[in-house]
Amino acid sequence: MAGDQRRTRKLTASKLIAQAPKRDFIKFMKKDRQGLDSHVLRFFARLDTNRPIDMDRCFIISFFLSDDTISVFEPEKRNSGIVHGKFIERSKIANIGGKYYSAEDLFVGAVVNFRSHQFVITDADEYAMTYAEKHRAAYR
């Protein structure tokens, strides 16, 4: 009986210890920063809302190709009364269907939902546009 309790505690304790997520190392090596290519797709977005205070808020959505993570940043807007900076920390984000967002889900005009905040992508940087042109078949 005592042995079973010890084994149960040991198994329970091992599940409680936080472990780093498993990453696709080959993808990471191919898509990690190489010279001036950062392999980060950056998009400009706004909140899709009817609240007047939130209508003028601008955001930068960064999609990291090396590990399919997303971060959302709000640039400083003087005298707005809204705290700027990191809006959503870099992590994998699942869409409404339960699948994780991929690069093909992000394009100009797309409406995306990150952690109950709905964004409309309004523009993209030059690297994101050239990436979409090179991988045109995936964006259809």
Side-chain angles (χ1 to χ4, degrees), residues 24-34 39 66:
D24 186 355
F25 188 72
I26 295 171
K27 181 177 181 180
F28 175 76
M29 292 305 291
K30 286 181 181 176
K31 301 287 185 173
D32 195 28
R33 176 182 289 271
Q34 296 170 352
H39 296 291
S66 61

Side-chain angles (χ1 to χ4, degrees), residues 93-133:
I93 299 176
N95 60 16
I96 295 172
K99 296 178 92 177
Y100 289 112
Y101 278 101
S102 64
E104 293 78 26
D105 297 325
L106 304 174
F107 53 88
V108 176
V111 178
V112 292
N113 194 330
F114 299 150
R115 304 214 173 116
S116 73
H117 296 284
Q118 196 161 357
F119 295 94
V120 176
I121 298 177
T122 57
D123 200 7
D125 70 350
E126 186 177 339
Y127 182 76
M129 293 296 225
T130 55
Y131 180 85
E133 287 175 10

